[in-house]
Amino acid sequence: MVKSRSETRAHILETAARLLDDEGAAALTIRAVAQAAGLQAPALYRFFEDKDALLDAVAEHVFTTYVTGKAAARDGDPVADLRAGWDAHIGFGVANAALFGLLVTPGRTSPVAEAGLVVLRARVHRIAEAGRLRVPERLAAELVHAAGTGAVLTLLARRPEDRDPGLAEAMFEAVLARILTDAPTPTDTSPDLSKLTVAERALLAEWLDRD
């Protein structure tokens, strides 16, 4: 049975994902993926411009599959939403060690990693809108991102049986303590007097001075 173009592409990505998981990033070459998929190497170039394009497509495929299986409903609390995103990030990284290593490689930009940052910044923005941030939004997002990446890499550096199950949660709580206020920052509701004329200001002062 002849496969459609979309079926062939999906087969290539599934094969590449298994190869990456089994043998690591070094094994993920166009030739190796083609051979594992039962294709000739030139066939892959009809779907992917080069190895980087293949890697990006594999990352998107694996990440989409993971998120679909782990999707959680949005919570009305923006901090709870941030926590859900953190848990998904940690879970994905630990479950996909080789792929996570590619996504965080210095100097390499991945569409999946960039999309993840966009989502993170949106979650942080919702917290800012709720008046809960004590630091600028950009700094808050970078702190969460850096802590999440560091937590995953620390966990992956140890054998599964030696990993501290409370590490990621402790890291998240430490970040929250740094970026959140204890209560929403009150909105300044005082009137803007700078637009009043001299006469209007004088009249206002007269009203305020009255008993």
Side-chain angles (χ1 to χ4, degrees), residues 92-134:
F92 174 78
V94 172
N96 300 275
L99 181 55
F100 188 82
L102 289 175
L103 294 177
V104 299
T105 299
R108 185 176 186 278
T109 301
S110 165
V112 170
E114 289 300 312
L117 284 174
V118 170
V119 172
L120 170 59
R121 289 165 185 152
R123 292 176 188 265
V124 170
H125 181 66
R126 289 188 64 225
I127 295 175
E129 287 184 321
R132 294 294 311 278
L133 281 187
R134 70 165 72 245

Side-chain angles (χ1 to χ4, degrees), residues 6-183:
S6 61
E7 289 174 330
T8 300
R9 186 177 188 276
H11 173 61
I12 293 171
L13 292 177
E14 290 167 2
T15 300
R18 288 195 301 270
L19 190 64
L20 176 64
D21 190 50
D22 293 341
E23 302 185 30
L28 206 66
T29 65
I30 293 291
R31 183 180 298 277
V33 173
Q35 183 176 358
L39 300 169
Q40 297 295 319
L44 265 68
Y45 288 106
R46 295 200 291 269
F47 297 90
F48 311 103
E49 180 180 358
D50 52 25
K51 179 180 176 180
D52 281 343
L54 173 61
L55 291 175
D56 289 336
V58 171
E60 181 179 0
H61 172 74
V62 175
F63 185 74
T64 300
T65 301
Y66 178 86
V67 170
T68 300
K70 300 289 185 180
R74 284 176 60 90
D75 193 290
D77 179 1
V79 177
D81 280 342
L82 183 64
R83 182 182 296 276
W86 172 277
D87 291 341
H89 175 81
I90 299 297
F92 174 78
V94 172
N96 300 275
L99 181 55
F100 188 82
L102 289 175
L103 294 177
V104 299
T105 299
R108 185 176 186 278
T109 301
S110 165
V112 170
E114 289 300 312
L117 284 174
V118 170
V119 172
L120 170 59
R121 289 165 185 152
R123 292 176 188 265
V124 170
H125 181 66
R126 289 188 64 225
I127 295 175
E129 287 184 321
R132 294 294 311 278
L133 281 187
R134 70 165 72 245
V135 299
E137 287 185 36
R138 180 174 178 177
L139 176 59
E142 289 181 350
L143 285 171
V144 175
H145 179 254
T149 299
V152 172
L153 293 177
T154 299
L155 291 170
L156 292 178
R158 297 183 177 277
R159 296 177 301 178
E161 61 271 23
D162 293 333
R163 293 170 186 166
D164 181 353
L167 173 68
E169 178 65 18
M171 181 73 80
F172 184 67
E173 291 296 334
V175 173
L176 289 187
R178 177 65 180 87
I179 69 174
L180 295 185
T181 60
D182 294 332

